[in-house]
Amino acid sequence: MSEIKWNEFLIPYSQAVDELKIKFRNLRKEFLEKNEHSPIEFVTGRVKTVDSIREKMHRRFISTDLLEQDMQDIAGIRIQCQFVEDIYDVAKLLHIREDMRVIEERDYIANSKPSGYRSYHVVIEYPIQTSTGQKNILAEVQIRTLAMNFWSTIEHSLNYKYKGDFPEEINERLKRAAEASFMLDEEMSKIREEIQDAQQYFTDRKRDLNNPTEHNK
């Protein structure tokens, strides 16, 4: 691949992201329709911009010929969960699916980055159908709690300003915020059953109010 035609190159990645978002959102819907707790709360996705791809190619010394196999996050899916336990449940769900194959996993929850970053990364191989036949796309699925996602979003925004070279004071505050965020997740896990019971009660009440006839049968 001597010269990349970026619009053409990114089409299958965009298709993969669109399909994966639908599939994971439908998985959440399936849990809810069965009146069960869904380990998936929110699903978002994106395709890396051309500028971002070029910057990473330069930083990681990735050649154009090896781009598709060496850059695993051109297609990215983010799954947000309520509880830390849900993260590992989602990872298990990825392993048993027959429409994708897990290639690599990185647990930044049990082994957080020095910055305080926590998340669970799964690289999958996902087949899509194109006009020329099947094409296997690498996509990165990031699974994290709502609290982890809040911290990561803030850190990512600051990274744009400081290009990764944070002042020491901000660096220390980010680390403390990451620990506080994880403590929140740990406390929520301790009362997870109570929270889920309350959420189920709310769901049942809402269903009864929306279907008074069914309730009075």
Side-chain angles (χ1 to χ4, degrees):
M1 192 189 298
S2 57
E3 185 176 345
I4 300 175
K5 298 178 181 177
W6 287 109
N7 288 339
E8 182 179 330
F9 175 79
L10 292 176
I11 285 174
Y13 289 96
S14 180
Q15 181 179 334
V17 168
D18 289 343
E19 291 182 11
L20 287 167
K21 284 193 297 183
I22 290 171
K23 288 184 176 184
F24 290 133
R25 286 169 182 169
N26 282 342
L27 187 57
R28 166 179 162 76
K29 184 177 179 181
E30 183 182 340
F31 278 104
L32 297 178
E33 288 293 329
K34 292 191 294 185
N35 214 26
E36 296 178 3
H37 168 71
S38 170
I40 297 172
E41 191 68 14
F42 298 110
V43 180
T44 57
R46 62 97 186 102
V47 176
K48 266 188 181 297
T49 64
V50 174
D51 285 345
S52 181
I53 294 172
R54 283 174 169 159
E55 186 277 328
K56 190 169 184 178
M57 289 175 70
H58 177 74
R59 177 163 41 89
R60 298 283 182 88
F61 303 101
I62 299 173
S63 67
T64 55
D65 292 332
L66 297 177
L67 177 59
E68 290 181 292
Q69 65 187 67
D70 283 2
M71 196 174 297
Q72 301 173 326
D73 63 342
I74 296 175
I77 296 291
R78 184 169 298 159
I79 297 177
Q80 295 180 51
C81 310
Q82 289 191 31
F83 305 102
V84 174
E85 292 82 358
D86 292 338
I87 294 173
Y88 295 101
D89 287 341
V90 172
K92 290 176 184 176
L93 289 171
L94 297 184
H95 275 279
I96 64 175
R97 292 190 69 101
E98 296 183 357
D99 56 348
M100 61 190 69
R101 184 166 68 95
V102 173
I103 301 295
E104 184 179 327
E105 294 175 82
R106 294 186 291 274
D107 188 346
Y108 296 121
I109 299 170
N111 303 285
S112 63
K113 290 186 177 183
S115 64
Y117 175 86
R118 284 183 170 90
S119 186
Y120 197 95
H121 292 191
V122 182
V123 177
I124 62 170
E125 183 182 70
Y126 179 72
I128 63 166
Q129 301 302 317
T130 72
S131 60
T132 57
Q134 180 170 298
K135 182 178 180 63
N136 293 328
I137 296 294
L138 291 183
E140 183 181 72
V141 183
Q142 296 180 353
I143 318 167
R144 57 180 65 150
T145 64
L146 301 170
M148 291 174 192
N149 189 67
F150 172 71
W151 183 92
S152 178
T153 301
I154 298 301
E155 192 267 351
H156 187 69
S157 299
L158 288 170
N159 203 33
Y160 271 110
K161 179 179 180 180
Y162 293 106
K163 307 299 182 185
D165 187 19
F166 297 128
E168 186 61 29
E169 180 185 0
I170 291 179
N171 201 36
E172 288 302 315
R173 287 185 181 276
L174 279 172
K175 288 179 182 179
R176 289 200 296 270
E179 289 305 312
S181 173
F182 192 61
M183 286 178 62
L184 173 62
D185 280 332
E186 288 183 319
E187 290 301 316
M188 291 299 103
S189 288
K190 291 175 183 176
I191 55 172
R192 180 165 55 108
E193 290 186 7
E194 288 291 332
I195 295 171
Q196 290 175 348
D197 286 345
Q199 290 172 339
Q200 187 60 54
Y201 174 78
F202 176 79
T203 300
D204 291 343
R205 286 287 296 160
K206 185 177 180 180
R207 184 181 296 112
D208 289 343
L209 290 171
N210 290 334
N211 300 280
T213 304
E214 287 291 323
H215 181 68
N216 293 325
K217 280 185 178 179

